[in-house]
Amino acid sequence: MSIEDHGGGQDPRPDVLVVTTNDVPGHRVQQVIGEVFGLTVRSRHLGSQIGAGLKSMVGGELRGLTKTLVATRNQATERLVEQARARGANAVLAFRFDVTEAADVGTEVCAYGTAVIVSPE
């Protein structure tokens, strides 16, 4: 499994900067636009659920589940960035994820943060 299979993150020079911090060093918040979020719900197909169940009995990483969760988180983040961009933001502060089970049929992943317009100081 390569680093792309279990990682994520932005391109080096994004048009909408996403950070987990409450500010961006060297920048000033010009305007707070408000909360933005990206939501997706994913389910696993039966074959991979059976495979994961068998793997969990002997221990070790559930690589199929890891890959699915990474793809799900990346999709939720992309949707958050799309919403921020559509509202005129160039940054999202206090970025977080919330993950919950969705009625025993899938996993809900919500990426959220505060859309802002920042400018260099």
Side-chain angles (χ1 to χ4, degrees):
M1 187 178 278
S2 70
I3 191 70
E4 290 81 23
D5 291 333
H6 59 272
Q10 291 191 290
D11 293 327
R13 301 188 57 84
D15 64 323
V16 176
L17 179 64
V18 178
V19 297
T20 59
T21 56
N22 293 328
D23 55 19
V24 178
H27 291 74
R28 187 167 63 101
V29 174
Q30 295 288 99
Q31 179 183 352
V32 174
I33 294 171
E35 180 186 27
V36 289
F37 65 93
L39 180 67
T40 186
V41 179
R42 292 271 179 104
S43 66
R44 302 235 334 131
H45 62 79
L46 183 59
S48 64
Q49 287 179 327
I50 291 170
L54 294 172
K55 179 72 174 184
S56 69
M57 291 191 305
V58 296
E61 181 181 7
L62 304 174
R63 291 182 182 208
L65 290 174
T66 299
K67 195 170 183 177
T68 298
L69 185 54
V70 167
T72 304
R73 288 173 56 125
N74 288 342
Q75 182 179 48
T77 302
E78 288 168 11
R79 289 178 177 175
L80 167 124
V81 169
E82 288 172 13
Q83 187 182 47
R85 186 182 295 118
R87 295 183 63 192
N90 67 355
V92 176
L93 305 179
F95 172 70
R96 303 286 187 269
F97 283 109
D98 184 44
V99 179
T100 58
E101 288 298 314
D104 293 330
V105 296
T107 301
E108 173 189 315
V109 176
C110 182
Y112 64 95
T114 303
V116 298
I117 296 174
V118 295
S119 62
E121 291 182 329

